[in-house]
Amino acid sequence: MKIVLYILRRIGLAIPQLLGITVAVFFLMRLLPADPVARLLGLLSTQDAYSMAEQKLGLDKPVLDQLWIYLSGLVRGDLGKSWVTGQPVTYELRQFFPVTLELILLAFAVSLIIAIPLGMATALRPRSVADRVALVWGLFAGSQPEFWWGLMFAFVLYYKAGWFPAPLGRISSAITPPPTVTGMLTLDSLLAGNWAALGSALHHLILPVFTLVFILSGPFIKMTRQSMLRVLSSDFVLYARASGLKSFRVATYALRNALAPIVTLVGILFGWMIGGAVLVETVFSLGGLGQYAVRSTLMFDYPAIQGVVLIITAWSLAVYIGLDILYAWIDPRIRL
Amino acid sequence: MKRTAWPLSLVMILSLMLGACGPTPAPAATTAPAEEGVVAPTTAPAEEDKTWVILAEEIPPCLDWDGFCGPSFSAQTAWNNVYLTLVDYKFPSQNDEGVWIPDFGSFEGVLAESWEVTEDGMTWTFHLRKGVISAAGNEMTADDVLWTFARAKSVSGTSPIGWFLGNVASILPLDPMLPDATAADKELKGEVVKIDDYTVQINLFETNPIFLNVLAIFALAIPDSKECLKHATEADPWAHEWMGSEGACGFAPYHLVKWEKDKEFVVEANPNWYDPPPVNRIIYRKVPESTNRFAAILTGDADIVEHLTPKEFNLLEGKPGVKVQGHLGNQNTFLILNWNTPPWDDVKMRKAIAYAIPYDEIIETVYFGDATRWHSLIPPGYFGYAAFEMYDFDLEKAKELLAEAGYPDGQGLDQYRENLQISYPIEKGSALEPIALLMRTRLAEIGVPIELNPIPMTQFVDRSFVKKDMPMALDDWETPIAPDTNYGLLLFYVSTEAGGLNNITNYSNPRVDELFLLARPELDEAKRNEYLREAQEILMDELARVPIVIRKTQRAMAENVTDYHWYQDDFLRWWRFGAK
């Protein structure tokens, strides 16, 4: 009950934030040095055609009118229509957001499965070979361009070795995709019992997930290691060891105490990656939110840009709420 | 025994396994290089069920040429496959790569079977082909042709290209686009008349030597009006919304079955078509990375790929299972120098630049030899084309001209710093940046300091088409779509006051405007060519723009893809290919 009230209170706080960002972006976009109308004209750039196009986009009205129209639509859940495709922005967001979400959920899950035990192990055996390897990898991977590595993995593992499918999309064109429920192919295939689709979707996801894991696990290992080292030097650990507890047992106790900074890092990156995965999405032709954001920005598609900003902000806020609840769960000293 | 060792090794083994293996791969489709083009469909495969995968850097975001679409290459490719025109070019011969080349002067009927024209050239009668049935099941009649032109004349879309081409073809008058046009001005008034169900008469307001050429352009394609009208609404009687973002209603060998914006555009053969195409299903897919498209054609995961860089095409030559075919036709690269921004209002300065461009270096290093010098501002092969070999890479000459213009060794150019920036779209960076860099190096040698200014395409279009204030820019995608010099003049060189459409450089020469009007209705070829020759000489002498190269346009395709037909608009007609 307390949790529900807490969530409601946080959502209440989030709404003015979302509104503020929407309005800010609305005005900032109109300060950009290009005219979205021009892109539509192409061959015919007469004054008449320009006025007609301007009218169609609603840009002939005064700015405050445009804002009012947008906000009243927003309240009804209507984010307008994309100026590039003519599709409702909500429809497009519903298509692209789950793609990226699926990618980063898998990437984070795998990274954490690798990074946390590895980080723990290296903290427990500092200066061992494994520790040094993990240290180097941590430093190295975190600063790598995922774009280049993605292309390298595609080249070696798809083109040369043929182990993985071509980076042309999320699923083989020969397989009927499952009916859309969540928008995440893996989940939808599971729900529909379509094993061929599940297999193909996972097969196509392995390389992009691997690329992200390669980059992400670096900072995770480092953070886990540092945090664990700090906790392992505290008094209660000394006491536990002196009491004769097995090393593994001690480690699990220590982990719970070391989690807070790790969770913070994971949370922040998780919130950020929804847009940050764009390069991997592009390399593997996944068609996610990042690609949509880039396309909309370059095409000056105002409604789409607003929609993207809105969803990314809402997502970040949701992740931070989740983080705070997670902290409270991990650390009983924290009150919500 | 160190008890912490085993979790570590377990974790490492696990991570290796997770990285290296995956679930059993999906059926042959994803990894089968051997059987290109044959992919098992979801239903039981028929004997001849062929599917081709065509990869491009973007797929159609929209489909209404009169509407919200803007100059999208993929949309234009799509139009030419799910909508067809009355006439099309004859393809009498192949070039030395086996590509079919059109004869711009000879036509064959597509949706029309035959036609006649009166002696005075003003009245054309078209006999429509019988038994042309759309995928929706409707037969094409004269009503559809009338609807096409009525829709064009209604100028109801955001960007009324249908009207524009109807006007260029001398069919539709200027009336609907005039500032005080009434609703009545936007209705057909005898320009196109139905004689009977299969006969249509088109009455021109002026004689027009390129009438059939314009009729062959996509915006005068004939939609299936019965089907399109099903999607019209009160607010949108010409179905712009539906035709723009939801579907296609054409008379064509292919019809649209699936359209996922930003992902794929899937067409299937029209079961009612009188001349079925060799491939049942085409998946036109967006793959933004050109290296992935490059890899896909090599492994057989794709049948045709578009938009590779010149270097990638070069690397594909001679690779087994792949062929690279193309044509050195009309695709051109040129430099925009704005007449409104000094020092480019001085012809001597413009000439100085023209002598300082390292043409051969560009051809060799940027295009790998797949380009040639361009000696006109109209592409070769167009009606009335004339070549004037006036400029070459000669730095001494460039320095001379620079001094004559009043800037010896570049002194005095500092005041024009802002106008010494070469702009180009970021999206075209891989092709244009190397050219800009080469130019910058050479121009620095004569004392002209140039900066590079990559900007998003939208901004580039805004500045070039609307504001017309870009001092210098590189452009490699603007080519007149009708293969005619006069049309090229209308598009780029006739002054805006005299009706020029996309006079990006703010060029204005009354004699050129005059010559354009003289050539437009002139049916006597020799006379017309004289006018056009004079116009081109003026353009080259004054360097209305600076021509750089004519570049080859190419596609990479699997060995079993045959009969690539090249068109001057460089869009693929999928229905013209053959499958071995």
Side-chain angles (χ1 to χ4, degrees), chain A:
Chain A
M1 195 48 212
K2 226 173 98 182
I3 293 241
V4 172
L5 280 176
Y6 175 74
I7 295 178
L8 283 174
R9 194 162 29 100
R10 287 293 298 270
I11 292 180
L13 282 175
I15 293 187
Q17 280 177 292
L18 282 171
L19 190 63
I21 292 213
T22 303
V23 174
V25 171
F26 186 89
F27 286 108
L28 283 173
M29 269 192 323
R30 281 155 176 76
L31 291 175
L32 285 171
D35 191 346
V37 182
R39 190 194 64 78
L40 299 170
L41 294 181
L43 193 60
L44 262 194
S45 55
T46 60
Q47 190 49 44
D48 285 325
Y50 187 87
S51 315
M52 219 177 343
E54 211 185 16
Q55 223 181 15
K56 198 78 195 238
L57 299 182
L59 289 174
D60 54 333
K61 303 192 180 59
V63 181
L64 286 177
D65 281 2
Q66 294 178 38
L67 178 61
W68 178 247
I69 294 174
Y70 183 75
L71 288 177
S72 28
L74 189 58
V75 164
R76 280 176 288 126
D78 174 13
L79 293 174
K81 286 196 178 162
S82 159
W83 292 346
V84 174
T85 60
Q87 295 184 133
V89 172
T90 33
Y91 175 76
E92 295 194 319
L93 289 176
R94 251 207 320 249
Q95 264 193 311
F96 299 124
F97 182 71
V99 175
T100 308
L101 192 61
E102 185 181 40
L103 174 67
I104 64 177
L105 276 175
L106 277 174
F108 273 76
V110 175
S111 306
L112 290 173
I113 291 174
I114 297 177
I116 293 188
L118 202 55
M120 277 172 65
T122 56
L124 289 166
R125 311 240 323 129
R127 283 184 286 282
S128 64
V129 171
D131 183 29
R132 293 202 197 282
V133 167
L135 189 68
V136 169
W137 180 13
L139 285 172
F140 174 74
S143 58
Q144 289 305 296
E146 67 267 36
F147 178 90
W148 187 80
W149 279 102
L151 285 174
M152 282 309 294
F153 292 146
F155 177 66
V156 173
L157 298 172
Y158 148 64
Y159 181 65
K160 285 291 184 195
W163 292 348
F164 295 100
L168 304 179
R170 303 164 65 206
I171 195 173
S172 159
S173 23
I175 298 190
T176 333
T180 308
V181 174
T182 61
M184 295 194 249
L185 268 181
T186 45
L187 204 52
D188 290 346
S189 311
L190 259 175
L191 289 172
N194 185 340
W195 307 117
L198 179 63
S200 180
L202 283 174
H203 201 208
H204 279 77
L205 273 171
I206 289 179
L207 280 183
V209 166
F210 185 52
T211 309
L212 282 178
V213 166
F214 183 76
I215 307 292
L216 285 173
S217 43
F220 289 165
I221 293 177
K222 242 191 126 9
M223 179 59 92
T224 309
R225 183 182 176 276
Q226 294 307 107
S227 197
M228 280 291 289
L229 277 176
R230 184 181 47 82
V231 171
L232 285 174
S233 59
S234 53
D235 291 343
F236 79 92
V237 168
L238 184 60
Y239 178 68
R241 284 202 171 125
S243 309
L245 282 182
K246 296 200 175 109
S247 203
F248 185 65
R249 223 20 180 344
V250 173
T252 48
Y253 289 152
L255 180 64
R256 180 146 177 202
N257 287 275
L259 270 182
I262 302 171
V263 163
T264 308
L265 180 64
V266 171
I268 292 174
L269 282 180
F270 197 56
W272 177 77
M273 273 303 244
I274 199 81
V278 58
L279 292 178
V280 171
E281 282 173 25
T282 307
V283 167
F284 292 99
S285 316
L286 294 177
L289 194 65
Q291 260 186 359
Y292 182 58
V294 170
R295 178 269 258 169
S296 308
T297 312
L298 285 178
M299 304 267 223
F300 290 80
D301 184 355
Y302 288 173
I305 298 176
Q306 297 261 201
V308 167
V309 170
L310 200 61
I311 202 172
I312 292 185
T313 312
W315 170 251
S316 302
L317 290 172
V319 167
Y320 290 141
I321 294 177
L323 265 185
D324 286 340
I325 296 177
L326 204 56
Y327 287 144
W329 182 62
I330 294 172
D331 189 343
R333 295 172 298 181
I334 292 180
R335 287 175 197 286
L336 285 175

Side-chain angles (χ1 to χ4, degrees), chain B residues 510-521:
Chain B
R511 180 61 183 157
V512 171
D513 295 348
E514 217 184 316
L515 289 164
F516 164 70
L517 288 171
L518 284 170
R520 196 170 67 183

Side-chain angles (χ1 to χ4, degrees), chain B residues 193-259:
Chain B
V193 175
K194 171 178 174 174
I195 305 292
D196 63 48
D197 275 339
Y198 299 102
T199 317
V200 174
Q201 197 177 76
I202 301 186
N203 303 307
L204 306 183
F205 59 74
E206 193 181 57
T207 51
N208 191 318
I210 58 169
F211 172 68
L212 288 174
N213 298 85
V214 183
L215 269 194
I217 299 178
F218 62 77
L220 294 178
I222 314 293
D224 175 1
S225 57
K226 283 198 200 66
E227 180 61 24
C228 300
L229 281 170
K230 283 199 190 134
H231 304 283
T233 63
E234 270 216 47
D236 179 24
W238 298 100
H240 286 293
E241 297 271 339
W242 188 85
M243 286 172 79
S245 51
E246 292 191 50
C249 38
F251 291 108
Y254 282 115
H255 70 114
L256 178 59
V257 298
K258 178 175 171 206
W259 189 12

Side-chain angles (χ1 to χ4, degrees), chain B residues 332-537:
Chain B
N332 48 29
T333 306
F334 53 86
L335 177 68
I336 292 169
L337 292 175
N338 199 323
W339 287 90
N340 282 0
T341 54
W344 310 123
D345 50 350
D346 182 350
V347 177
K348 293 212 169 69
M349 275 303 290
R350 299 174 81 95
K351 289 194 178 185
I353 300 295
Y355 279 105
I357 296 179
Y359 300 102
D360 291 326
E361 211 179 342
I362 291 174
I363 293 174
E364 279 316 310
T365 57
V366 180
Y367 294 108
F368 291 85
D370 284 331
T372 173
R373 286 298 309 278
W374 187 20
H375 296 294
S376 176
L377 279 170
I378 299 293
Y382 277 31
F383 297 140
Y385 164 77
F388 295 90
E389 292 193 29
M390 289 178 170
Y391 307 101
D392 211 347
F393 178 56
D394 186 342
L395 285 181
E396 288 310 315
K397 197 88 200 274
K399 279 194 201 148
E400 241 178 74
L401 284 160
L402 193 58
E404 275 178 49
Y407 308 103
D409 288 323
Q411 288 162 24
L413 281 177
D414 279 334
Q415 51 178 318
Y416 302 126
R417 257 250 122 81
E418 283 169 16
N419 297 342
L420 295 176
Q421 274 186 346
I422 297 188
S423 306
Y424 54 91
I426 294 174
E427 292 90 329
K428 303 239 169 222
S430 58
L432 296 177
E433 193 162 283
I435 300 179
L437 286 169
L438 282 171
M439 284 180 59
R440 180 170 72 175
T441 312
R442 294 305 182 183
L443 285 171
E445 287 176 37
I446 63 169
V448 181
I450 298 287
E451 275 164 31
L452 267 48
N453 183 32
I455 52 181
M457 180 64 120
T458 306
Q459 201 179 348
F460 189 93
V461 172
D462 179 34
R463 296 195 63 189
S464 55
F465 282 154
V466 180
K467 300 195 174 70
K468 301 194 182 156
D469 66 353
M470 239 172 359
M472 298 175 84
L474 280 172
D475 186 317
D476 75 351
W477 64 95
E478 308 255 7
T479 300
I481 198 172
D484 174 56
T485 300
N486 216 32
Y487 180 76
L489 292 180
L490 171 65
L491 230 40
F492 302 128
Y493 305 111
V494 168
S495 66
T496 315
E497 298 78 46
L501 225 33
N502 291 328
N503 196 327
I504 306 174
T505 54
N506 295 308
Y507 177 69
S508 174
N509 184 317
R511 180 61 183 157
V512 171
D513 295 348
E514 217 184 316
L515 289 164
F516 164 70
L517 288 171
L518 284 170
R520 196 170 67 183
E522 184 56 71
L523 292 177
D524 177 336
E525 203 179 328
K527 235 171 155 194
R528 190 173 196 259
N529 286 349
E530 248 182 68
Y531 296 138
L532 297 176
R533 188 189 168 77
E534 191 190 329
Q536 286 172 86
E537 191 166 6

